Amino acid sequence: MSTVAIKPPSPALRPTRRKRTSPGGGIGRYLITRFLLIIPTIFILVSMVFWLMRTTGDPITAALGGRLSPDQLAERIHAAGYDRPIIVQYFEYLGQVFSGNFGTTISTNRPVSEVLTTYGLATAELVFYALLVAFIVGIPLGMVAAYWRDKAPDAFLRVFAILCYATPVFFAGLLLKLVFAVWLKVLPVAGRASTGAELQMQFLPNKTGVYTIDAIQTGNAAVLGDVLSHAVLPALALGLLTAGVFLRLVRTNVIGTLGTDYVNAARSRGVNEFRLVRKHAYRPALIPIITVIGLQIALLLGGAVLTETTFEWKGLGFMLIQFIQARDFVAVQGIVALLAVIVALSNFIVDIIAAVIDPRVRY
């Protein structure tokens, strides 16, 4: 009886096991890559700010030219070091920026870092309230529009969303002031707080510069109410701009999620449509919202310039206009550079949150 020898399969034909990568390593590599991209991004933005500002000449001549004699002007330019080669000034500027030194303002003779700290908190407070308005208005109305898809409420909300992000911020602010401050007289016209409230917050031992926190520290409910009432109209004018974007994003993604297999399976089990929207389609629809928050923060910071000017909200946007009118390009340069850094860091934080919530973005 003959035996047949069975040859083992050649190595080329053997099935190979796919090496599994751990999720932690994936998100770690992703976050490191995103963090390293911040450095060239900030470098490019800061460099663009420097060269664009210097296209008009040196800041001393721009701010004080015509008000000083030629000898006095030359002395000021030499003292500030603006008569040196531009490339030397550029590298010195980069070294100062990365060490946190943005120079001294020409018009007020204050350190730019002090200006950024003092007025930056006011802008951060306004942007926070505007995002709060955007979330409260945009997300629920987006779900309502998806629930009443292609019906009258949906059509009305889509028009409302278009009006929100198509209306200029300053025009929306003027309309809100006209209606609620002039006609109805229920809200303040401008400012961050009344004079009496500011006096009470001025002498706090641990003053933060964020009026809401400072008002809470006073322990006076009237002061807190005054601060919040002053924040309503600016937050609405700026927040509705982003609320329109959120409304359309939520509507589109909820409608898309309602057509997925697991939602159809739940629908076949008799789950009503409202519960499907609220329980099954709501959370997946929030992922695109998170990914665009970074871009919306950039939009809000740009809109804050006009909003703060319209409502005399003394933040970075308001001061930016003042420094531009004074042709104080040292201060303008510092404010614009800080806003660019904030946008870059905000996008990095949003990338972290998106990677934690949605693993698909890690690879």
Side-chain angles (χ1 to χ4, degrees):
M1 181 177 179
S2 60
T3 58
V4 179
I6 301 176
K7 294 182 179 180
S10 62
L13 298 177
R14 288 177 184 172
T16 57
R17 291 187 178 181
R18 186 178 178 182
K19 187 178 179 180
R20 297 179 63 183
T21 58
S22 63
I27 191 173
R29 288 193 301 271
Y30 172 77
L31 294 181
I32 291 173
T33 303
R34 299 300 300 175
F35 178 76
L36 292 176
L37 287 174
I38 293 179
I39 299 173
T41 302
I42 293 177
F43 172 76
I44 293 171
L45 291 173
V46 168
S47 298
M48 287 179 62
V49 170
F50 176 86
W51 292 108
L52 288 174
M53 290 292 102
R54 293 307 173 87
T55 55
T56 58
D58 67 90
I60 301 293
T61 304
L64 302 176
R67 290 189 287 172
L68 297 177
S69 65
D71 292 339
Q72 291 175 322
L73 191 63
E75 183 181 349
R76 291 288 298 270
I77 292 173
H78 179 73
Y82 292 125
D83 55 350
R84 294 175 299 169
I86 189 68
I87 193 67
V88 175
Q89 298 180 44
Y90 170 65
F91 283 111
E92 183 183 8
Y93 170 72
L94 289 180
Q96 291 176 344
V97 167
F98 285 107
S99 64
N101 179 16
F102 292 92
T104 304
T105 63
I106 298 172
S107 56
T108 59
N109 199 29
R110 294 175 61 187
V112 177
S113 57
E114 181 184 327
V115 174
L116 299 179
T117 304
T118 303
Y119 297 101
L121 292 172
T123 298
E125 186 176 16
L126 176 60
V127 170
F128 172 77
Y129 283 131
L131 275 176
L132 202 61
V133 169
F135 284 128
I136 293 174
V137 175
I139 293 177
L141 292 184
M143 294 174 62
V144 171
Y147 181 76
W148 297 100
R149 178 185 179 184
D150 296 331
K151 295 180 180 177
D154 178 31
F156 172 79
L157 289 174
R158 278 187 285 173
V159 172
F160 172 74
I162 293 172
L163 289 175
C164 282
Y165 61 75
T167 304
V169 175
F170 70 90
F171 183 71
L174 290 174
L175 284 180
L176 290 171
K177 288 173 69 172
L178 183 65
V179 174
F180 293 100
V182 178
W183 292 349
L184 300 179
K185 300 183 186 300
V186 293
L187 290 171
V189 176
R192 294 181 65 194
S194 62
T195 305
E198 287 186 340
L199 287 174
Q200 291 193 49
M201 293 184 290
Q202 185 177 358
F203 300 104
L204 287 172
N206 298 317
K207 185 179 178 181
T208 63
V210 179
Y211 274 20
T212 305
I213 297 175
D214 292 340
I216 293 173
Q217 288 189 65
T218 62
N220 190 334
V223 173
L224 179 60
D226 181 81
V227 169
L228 293 177
S229 65
H230 278 80
V232 170
L233 292 183
L236 279 174
L238 188 57
L240 288 176
L241 177 70
T242 303
V245 178
F246 286 176
L247 192 158
R248 290 183 66 86
L249 273 175
V250 171
R251 175 191 177 274
T252 302
N253 286 281
V254 168
I255 289 174
T257 307
L258 287 175
T260 57
D261 293 338
Y262 76 91
V263 173
N264 289 330
R267 188 181 287 115
S268 66
R269 293 196 300 269
V271 180
N272 63 61
E273 201 70 17
F274 177 75
R275 184 177 176 83
L276 287 174
V277 172
R278 187 169 59 90
K279 289 291 186 181
H280 297 275
Y282 172 59
R283 289 186 179 178
L286 291 183
I287 294 175
I289 294 290
I290 294 171
T291 57
V292 301
I293 284 179
L295 297 175
Q296 295 307 311
I297 288 177
L299 181 65
L300 289 174
L301 288 173
V305 175
L306 296 174
T307 306
E308 291 177 1
T309 304
T310 303
F311 290 96
E312 296 181 20
W313 184 281
K314 293 186 178 179
L316 284 180
F318 180 84
M319 294 307 299
L320 180 63
I321 297 299
Q322 303 299 313
F323 286 129
I324 289 175
Q325 292 175 347
R327 300 183 69 81
D328 191 339
F329 291 157
V330 174
V332 172
Q333 197 169 262
I335 293 174
V336 175
L338 177 66
L339 295 179
V341 171
I342 291 173
V343 171
L345 292 176
S346 300
N347 278 284
F348 175 66
I349 294 172
V350 169
D351 287 339
I352 294 175
I353 298 173
V356 172
I357 293 177
D358 188 1
R360 293 174 298 177
V361 304
R362 306 175 193 173
Y363 304 100

